[in-house]
RNA sequence: GCCGGGGUGGCGAAAUCGGUAGACGCAAGGGACUUAAAAUCCCUUGGGGAGCGAUCCCCGUGCAGGUUCGAGUCCUGCCCUCGGCACCA
């Protein structure tokens, strides 16, 4: 008798990874696929620490789905790449004093090795990196398409400036108004000309389309909130000098309670409306506001400050002259940059009015004390509108003012235009040349890419411009239009632009003369299923949708939405907290894979908790998965030895259980409920073992179901069963619905709502039969106690409830 | 403050439509095998109680109510927690 070998994960995995590479296992025919399936996962940022367990959790979940689809007969394209530009890489490079251009390839090499080791079904022919000039050439090209279409424009905007770093810092690097790296240094605002993409033009469509996308609800909700649609009206307050102050409000019904106006300190009308004697105070205030950083200005719960301009405007409803103020709680970038203040019905206006002793006029009746923001009450102090419910008054007041040209209904979005300028080094240069005569001129497409030069000193400096400006032979170029001396744009673009189109590039990576091939794109896009984390629910996913929408409108792609189906996975945390370098709780998978094998570790991660919820990483549970795989290993070896010929039929109970298992694993895997799919397979294996059933036909379907989860393991055992070809050429098992639901059922008998007995009856038994059986049951009798049954409730094949 | 998840054994969790709460796994305890340990296998394991025993009873899904023959699931009001947004008019 031959002794079955023990399961040696390292050997099995090495063997199959080699064979897969040799057989081009993961390389579908991109030009003539039968049933194309584009299985996308969010490409990683290749950090110096390496792939962490959160990445592996996400990729495993996505890979299982791709492998399921493969077994269901699709030609699955599962590409991978690296999002390697950006401030993280640059800051890390600065801290170790090496150019990121040297570090990134090392990091990528490490990631590539780790990604291969865990057994993802990646098509490595189509690997990409956003830092590759062959890639960012087209990132720049996209910028130019948007520029030509008027969707990329320049505007002065505030950035955070750290005087110690002498550098622009990102919002995330500002902590309570102080620089992250210099906790004693306050960050200031500077105003720089920057490039913006007109994403707000698409706000309405980005919002409406959400209704017809098959996305996780959590992600859709995040996007809706981010777009932030508000319905309201624009109202006009005229000044004696004839100026019109436009305000946006969601509560036009409260206009009778508007007792003063507030403009943002940057509002263009401020100078014109400032009275002579108020000038010094107003200018001082505006200077103070500018000295603040952007982040802390927007943090609420602070003491309200502001200055009276010394002038008045007319409330269009009451006709009263009301004072005009400026205050930094009003933001220039939202609405019109001016508000009507209704202190009785807005918390912020109330605080401000209280601080500066401005009049407060209640116009909505309510029990609660002021400020009362309710929309439930009826109007009061509002002339002919008194007594109307708020919502009705909103329409009527706007209509009434509209007749005099003092109001118009308006929809306002919270979404801001996307600032893509970064005064940094590690990104794709924005392909623009400034000419004194011609202004900003697009770099001609044949001159792309504008390569990022390899420079020694890429540290940002006091000038506020990118380090690229110091690289004179790069900086000075001829104007492509008139030939005069011009200067390159020295800002690079946001890393989110790199990732906003990578899925378009994957199928076409081998083409250098076009960003994406029309035929390939037609075949493979839009992406069939996108699986990724909700940390990208707004920025990455919104920007990708916007870029796709714009490219669609410009005729470059045939679809408007890039990701018709998206599923968000959960977050892997450690000891109840997010994994982060600063907390020191980042788990690197390598040691676990080395010890247990990739398959065990993959399954363990999926068994940790629901994929779409995430979970806490605790390694105690790994042994359970390993024990399960060992059991399957031995079971299959026994089956192979015991039944070399045609397999005998299975005992009825096992046969039924098999079909139930196939049903559950099929449904659960499709729904990404991987933890319960694994549990179902475990249950089935337990049953096989206790029934001492070692038939081949009991295990072959099991192996196919296991293949997405533990691909190397399943391949090896498939070969043990004598198959020549990869298990991924097999097809996903089918189940017989009738068989899966055959057999006797246990019916619970309740008396007055409490479980008092259990009956085993044939499936489909009638109520009368079950009632009769139940009343004969000893323990049921005890509780019925001879009393008449007042009511019975029967749930077929499940439960009988008797009320006495 | 606003918007979303979530709260179930010692732990991770499971539970179509309201229908046997705790599947599956970990850990723990007991036993078998072994010179021994590991591995493996078998049994027990929500809390409390009755019985020699097979068994049986009571309580139990964050808290307080409600609807229902029946509530982890639905409704009302709270508490806690995680995530996102946040002076957005």
């Amino acid at each position: 008798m031959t002794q079955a070998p023990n399961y040696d994960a390292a050997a099995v995995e090495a063997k199959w990874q080699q064979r897969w590479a040799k057989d081009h296992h993961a390389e579908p025919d991109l030009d003539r696929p039968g049933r194309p399936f584009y299985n996308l996962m969010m490409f990683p940022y290749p950090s110096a620490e390496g792939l962490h367990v959160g990445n592996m959790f996400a990729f495993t979940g996505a890979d299982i789905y791709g492998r399921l689809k493969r077994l269901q007969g699709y030609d699955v394209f599962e590409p991978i790449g690296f999002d390697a530009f950006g401030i993280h890489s640059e800051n890390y490079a600065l801290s170790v004093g090496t150019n990121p251009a040297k570090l990134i390839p090392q990091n990528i090499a490490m990631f590539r090795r780790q990604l291969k080791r865990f057994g993802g079904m990646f098509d490595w022919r189509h690997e990409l990196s956003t830092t590759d000039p062959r890639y960012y050439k087209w990132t720049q090209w996209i910028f130019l398409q948007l520029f030509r279409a008027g969707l990329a424009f320049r505007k002065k905007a505030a950035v955070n400036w750290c005087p110690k770093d002498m550098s622009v810092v990102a919002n995330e690097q500002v902590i309570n108004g102080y620089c992250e790296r210099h906790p004693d240094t306050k960050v200031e605002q500077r105003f720089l000309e920057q490039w913006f993409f007109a994403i707000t033009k698409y706000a309405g469509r980005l919002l409406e389309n959400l209704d017809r996308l098959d996305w996780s609800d959590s992600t859709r909700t995040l996007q809706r909130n981010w777009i932030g649609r508000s319905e309201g009206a624009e109202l006009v307050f005229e000044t004696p000098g004839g100026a019109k102050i436009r305000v946006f409000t969601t509560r036009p019904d409260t206009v009778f309670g508007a007792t003063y106006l507030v403009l943002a300190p940057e509002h263009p009308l401020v100078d014109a409306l400032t009275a002579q004697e108020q000038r010094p105070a107003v200018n001082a205030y505006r200077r103070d506001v500018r000295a603040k950083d952007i982040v802390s200005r927007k943090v609420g719960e602070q003491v309200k400050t502001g200055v009276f301009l010394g002038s008045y405007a007319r409330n269009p409803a009451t006709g009263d002259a009301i004072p005009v103020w400026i205050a930094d709680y009003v933001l220039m970038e939202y609405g019109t940059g001016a508000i009507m203040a209704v202190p009785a019905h807005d918390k912020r206006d109330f605080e401000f009015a209280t601080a500066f002793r401005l009049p407060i006029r209640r116009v909505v009746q309510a029990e609660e004390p002021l400020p009362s923001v309710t929309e439930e009450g009826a109007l009061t102090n509002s002339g002919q509108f008194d007594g109307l419910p708020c919502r009705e008054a909103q329409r009527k007041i706007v209509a009434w003012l509209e007749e005099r040209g003092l109001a118009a209904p308006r929809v306002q979005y919270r979404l801001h235009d996307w600032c893509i300028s970064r005064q940094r080094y590690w990104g794709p240069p924005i392909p623009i040349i400034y000419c004194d005569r011609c202004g900003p001129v697009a770099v001609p497409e044949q001159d792309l890419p504008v390569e990022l030069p390899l420079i020694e000193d890429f540290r940002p400096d006091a000038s506020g411009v990118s380090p690229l400006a110091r690289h004179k032979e790069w900086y000075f170029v001829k104007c492509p239009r008139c030939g005069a001396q011009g200067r390159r744009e020295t800002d690079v673009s946001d890393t989110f632009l790199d990732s906003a189109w990578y899925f378009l590039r994957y199928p076409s990576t081998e083409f250098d003369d076009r960003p994406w091939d029309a035929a390939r794109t037609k075949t493979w896009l839009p992406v069939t299923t996108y699986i990724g984390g909700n940390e990208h629910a707004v920025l990455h996913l919104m920007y990708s949708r916007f870029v796709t929408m714009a490219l669609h409108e410009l005729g470059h792609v045939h679809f408007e939405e890039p990701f018709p189906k998206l599923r968000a996975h959960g977050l892997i945390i450690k000891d109840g907290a997010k994994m982060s370098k600063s907390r020191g709780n980042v788990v690197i998978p390598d040691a676990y894979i080395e010890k247990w094998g990739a398959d065990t570790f993959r399954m363990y991660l999926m068994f940790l908790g629901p994929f779409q919820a995430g979970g806490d990483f605790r390694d105690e549970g790994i042994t359970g998965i390993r024990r399960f795989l060992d059991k399957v290993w031995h079971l299959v070896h026994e089956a192979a030895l015991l039944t070399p010929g045609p397999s005998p039929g299975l005992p009825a109970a096992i046969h039924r259980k098999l079909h139930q298992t196939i049903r559950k694993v099929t449904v659960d895997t499709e729904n990404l409920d991987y933890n319960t799919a694994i549990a179902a397979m475990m249950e089935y294996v337990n049953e096989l073992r206790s029934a001492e059933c070692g038939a081949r036909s009991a295990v072959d379907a099991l192996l196919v179901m296991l293949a997405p989860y533990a691909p190397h393991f399943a391949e090896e055992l498939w070969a043990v069963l004598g198959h020549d070809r990869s298990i991924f050429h097999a097809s996903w098992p089918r189940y017989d619905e009738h068989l899966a639901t055959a057999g006797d059922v246990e019916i619970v008998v309740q008396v007055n709502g409490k479980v008092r007995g259990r009956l085993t009856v044939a499936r489909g038994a009638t109520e009368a039969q079950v009632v009769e059986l139940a009343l004969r049951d000893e323990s049921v009798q005890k509780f019925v106690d001879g009393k008449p049954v007042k009511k019975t409730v029967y749930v077929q094949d499940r439960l009988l409830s008797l009320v006495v």
Side-chain angles (χ1 to χ4, degrees):
Chain A
M1 169 111 186
T2 336
Q3 186 70 44
N6 281 325
Y7 170 38
D8 177 353
V12 167
E13 288 167 10
K15 170 181 164 186
W16 286 97
Q17 283 172 15
Q18 271 171 31
R19 191 162 305 179
W20 288 337
K22 195 177 119 244
D23 295 346
H24 306 284
H25 167 75
E27 301 173 9
D29 180 348
L30 292 183
D31 293 314
R32 267 171 288 301
R35 300 166 74 196
F37 193 103
Y38 190 166
N39 190 49
L40 184 68
M41 54 197 89
M42 291 179 176
F43 68 163
Y45 144 67
S47 69
E49 294 79 39
L51 188 83
H52 66 80
V53 79
N55 298 125
M56 188 168 154
F57 173 78
F59 295 156
T60 300
D63 187 59
I64 288 170
Y65 195 70
R67 288 179 181 275
L68 168 75
K69 291 296 146 185
R70 167 88 177 249
L71 284 161
Q72 289 176 338
Y74 292 92
D75 294 301
V76 177
F77 178 47
E78 190 172 296
I80 193 74
F82 302 98
D83 187 16
F85 267 138
I87 205 157
H88 287 287
S89 305
E90 182 170 333
N91 285 347
Y92 176 75
L94 281 169
S95 73
V96 299
T98 309
N99 194 295
K102 297 203 179 96
L103 290 173
I104 286 298
Q106 297 167 19
N107 294 355
I108 288 180
M110 171 167 58
F111 266 69
R112 197 183 288 125
R113 182 183 55 72
Q114 291 175 298
L115 287 165
K116 287 187 174 170
R117 183 64 188 87
F118 101 87
M121 195 174 62
F122 298 121
D123 186 342
W124 289 101
R125 294 173 304 174
H126 289 267
E127 175 191 341
L128 62 77
S129 165
T130 56
T131 58
D132 184 347
R134 290 181 57 227
Y135 181 86
Y136 71 70
K137 169 182 180 176
W138 302 111
T139 308
Q140 293 170 336
W141 178 87
I142 288 172
F143 175 91
L144 292 181
Q145 306 314 305
L146 297 191
F147 175 64
R148 295 224 175 82
L151 293 170
F153 61 93
R154 270 156 62 82
K155 187 173 85 176
K156 257 206 171 176
V159 292
N160 298 296
W161 177 262
C162 170
K164 261 269 185 54
D165 263 345
M166 295 189 296
S167 167
V168 170
V169 292
N171 278 355
E172 304 79 53
Q173 296 174 292
V174 181
I175 297 157
N176 298 325
Y178 290 85
C179 175
E180 176 185 59
R181 288 199 292 183
H182 302 101
D184 53 344
T185 306
K186 270 206 149 189
V187 170
E188 303 164 1
Q189 283 186 75
R190 280 202 180 183
F191 287 85
L192 301 178
E193 284 272 332
Q194 315 209 52
W195 286 98
F196 285 82
F197 282 167
I199 189 170
T200 52
K201 260 185 115 165
Y202 295 85
R205 227 193 301 168
L206 288 166
L207 184 69
E208 286 154 23
N209 284 3
L210 285 174
D211 293 337
R212 51 184 180 79
L213 294 177
D214 177 12
W215 281 24
S216 298
D217 285 335
S218 57
T219 316
R220 278 201 290 210
T221 303
L222 286 166
Q223 290 223 338
R224 277 198 195 99
N225 292 346
W226 186 260
I227 295 170
R229 184 179 196 273
S230 295
E231 236 170 275
E234 194 170 294
L235 307 183
V236 179
F237 289 68
E238 287 174 311
T239 67
K244 291 177 183 212
I245 300 173
R246 293 170 192 282
V247 306
F248 172 72
T249 178
T250 53
R251 295 295 304 276
D253 51 316
T254 62
V255 63
F256 284 86
T259 51
Y260 63 102
L261 293 180
V262 188
L263 309 190
E266 305 87 352
H267 196 285
L269 284 175
V270 171
D271 276 329
L273 295 178
T274 303
Q276 195 58 43
E277 68 279 8
Q278 286 298 93
R279 265 178 211 283
V282 167
N283 289 338
Y285 183 72
R286 294 171 93 187
R287 259 198 312 280
D288 283 354
V289 169
R290 197 170 311 165
K292 278 192 196 171
D293 68 289
I294 310 166
V295 177
S296 59
R297 166 160 173 196
K298 291 191 183 179
V299 171
E301 301 156 30
Q302 50 187 356
V303 184
K304 293 280 180 291
T305 60
V307 180
F308 177 42
L309 294 183
S311 62
Y312 296 81
R314 190 182 320 113
N315 181 318
T318 62
D320 296 342
I322 60 173
V324 183
W325 287 63
I326 57 171
D328 69 350
Y329 81 93
V330 175
L331 308 171
M332 194 61 221
E333 66 268 24
Y334 185 77
T336 60
I339 61 154
M340 66 173 198
V342 185
H345 304 292
D346 181 278
K347 187 166 167 276
R348 294 149 303 172
D349 297 344
F350 184 80
E351 285 167 11
F352 191 84
T354 308
F356 294 100
R357 304 211 173 115
L358 289 158
I360 298 172
R361 174 174 156 130
R362 175 164 224 157
V363 291
V364 179
Q365 288 172 334
E367 298 288 304
E368 48 182 341
L370 296 179
S372 154
V373 297
T374 180
E375 278 186 80
E376 297 308 315
L379 294 208
T380 180
N381 290 323
S382 298
Q384 69 267 42
F385 301 100
D386 278 0
L388 287 182
C390 288
R391 284 165 222 276
E392 194 183 336
Q394 286 172 9
R395 285 192 307 275
K396 294 205 163 145
I397 288 178
V398 171
W400 173 61
L401 293 175
E402 209 170 359
E403 282 171 28
R404 290 186 281 144
L406 296 175
R410 177 168 160 181
V411 171
Q412 175 68 38
Y413 296 96
R414 204 191 68 96
L415 184 70
H416 291 2
D417 278 331
W418 175 15
C419 176
I420 60 136
S421 295
R422 296 293 179 271
Q423 294 75 34
R424 286 295 193 131
Y425 168 67
W426 191 235
I430 292 173
I432 289 289
I433 291 166
Y434 295 101
C435 169
D436 290 336
R437 234 177 298 168
C438 312
V441 179
V443 171
E445 284 181 19
Q446 67 269 18
D447 293 348
L448 295 181
V450 177
E451 283 210 42
L452 181 68
L454 185 69
I455 59 176
E456 281 298 308
D457 181 16
F458 56 93
R459 191 170 290 276
D461 73 8
S463 63
V465 290
S466 156
L468 288 173
R470 296 194 298 263
H471 202 67
K472 299 302 172 200
E473 61 279 22
W474 184 85
Y475 181 50
F476 292 109
V477 283
K478 285 204 161 45
C479 168
R481 192 173 295 165
C482 72
Q485 174 80 288
R487 302 168 314 277
R488 282 195 192 280
E489 166 65 67
T490 55
D491 285 354
V492 298
S493 57
D494 184 3
T495 181
F496 278 111
L497 180 57
D498 304 327
S499 56
W501 74 281
Y502 75 113
F503 50 91
L504 291 170
R505 181 65 182 166
Y506 273 140
S508 303
T509 46
E510 70 265 50
F511 302 106
D512 282 331
D513 60 344
R514 60 202 105 153
W516 46 85
D517 179 71
R520 288 271 175 88
T521 303
K522 191 90 190 158
T523 306
W524 290 95
L525 283 137
V527 170
T528 320
T529 302
Y530 197 13
I531 295 177
N534 259 343
E535 67 273 21
H536 292 118
V538 282
L539 301 179
H540 162 61
L541 288 173
M542 192 73 77
Y543 295 150
S544 299
R545 293 181 62 211
F546 157 69
V547 166
T548 304
M549 215 171 257
L551 288 171
H552 173 64
E553 214 161 72
L554 299 174
H556 295 293
V557 294
H558 64 278
F559 49 92
E560 179 172 281
E561 288 288 345
F563 316 125
K565 178 173 174 181
L566 176 131
R567 290 293 177 271
H569 61 72
L571 199 64
I572 289 288
I573 56 175
K574 180 83 203 310
D575 308 322
K578 227 172 173 169
M579 285 190 205
S580 73
K581 213 166 64 168
S582 55
R583 277 201 197 82
N585 61 353
V586 176
V587 178
I588 301 295
D590 297 30
Y592 292 97
I593 292 180
E594 201 180 312
K595 178 166 180 195
W596 299 96
D599 285 331
T600 299
F601 196 58
R602 282 168 67 108
M603 280 189 81
Y604 164 65
L605 289 177
M606 295 303 104
F607 195 57
L608 205 62
F611 181 62
Q612 291 176 85
D616 204 334
F617 183 87
R618 312 167 78 254
D619 48 19
E620 285 99 333
I622 295 183
T623 51
I625 296 289
R626 176 59 193 233
R627 285 204 266 258
F628 167 69
L629 291 180
D630 278 331
K631 286 175 194 172
V632 175
W633 181 269
H634 289 112
L635 214 52
V636 171
H637 277 88
E638 276 162 36
L641 288 169
L642 288 174
T643 56
S647 185
L650 295 175
I654 296 291
H655 197 202
R656 192 183 319 127
K657 184 73 186 175
L658 173 61
H659 281 256
Q660 285 166 356
T661 304
I662 294 171
R663 182 174 59 170
K664 175 123 183 95
V665 174
T666 303
V667 171
D668 286 1
T669 306
E670 178 64 49
N671 291 334
L672 277 52
D673 293 329
Y674 300 142
N675 55 335
T676 49
I678 292 170
M681 290 189 272
M682 288 174 164
E683 232 180 291
Y684 175 62
V685 167
N686 289 344
E687 198 129 325
L688 285 185
R689 285 161 51 84
S690 62
E692 292 178 13
C693 173
R696 224 181 138 101
S697 49
V699 293
D700 52 5
L702 173 69
L703 285 182
V704 179
M705 288 189 280
L706 204 47
Y709 294 85
H712 319 79
F713 177 87
E715 288 276 30
E716 180 67 19
L717 292 182
W718 194 245
V720 165
L721 288 180
H723 298 276
D724 298 329
R725 302 184 77 197
S726 162
I727 193 169
F728 291 96
H729 286 108
S731 47
W732 189 259
R734 292 172 188 284
Y735 59 90
D736 180 335
E737 182 67 44
H738 183 72
L739 193 58
T741 53
D744 290 345
V745 286
E746 192 179 63
I747 291 194
V748 170
V749 183
Q750 295 183 346
V751 180
N752 288 340
K754 294 203 173 196
V755 179
R756 297 302 184 189
R758 294 177 172 85
L759 306 169
T760 302
V761 302
R763 200 173 283 270
T766 63
E767 175 168 352
Q769 293 169 320
V770 175
V771 170
E772 201 200 317
L773 278 171
L775 291 175
R776 259 192 264 149
D777 184 274
E778 201 180 313
S779 63
V780 172
Q781 269 175 8
K782 197 166 93 192
F783 288 91
V784 171
D785 198 20
K787 284 173 277 197
V789 176
K790 280 187 274 187
K791 183 178 177 182
T792 63
V793 179
Y794 180 59
V795 182
Q796 183 79 53
D797 298 336
R798 267 187 186 272
L799 168 138
L800 174 70
S801 183
L802 303 173
V803 186
V804 297

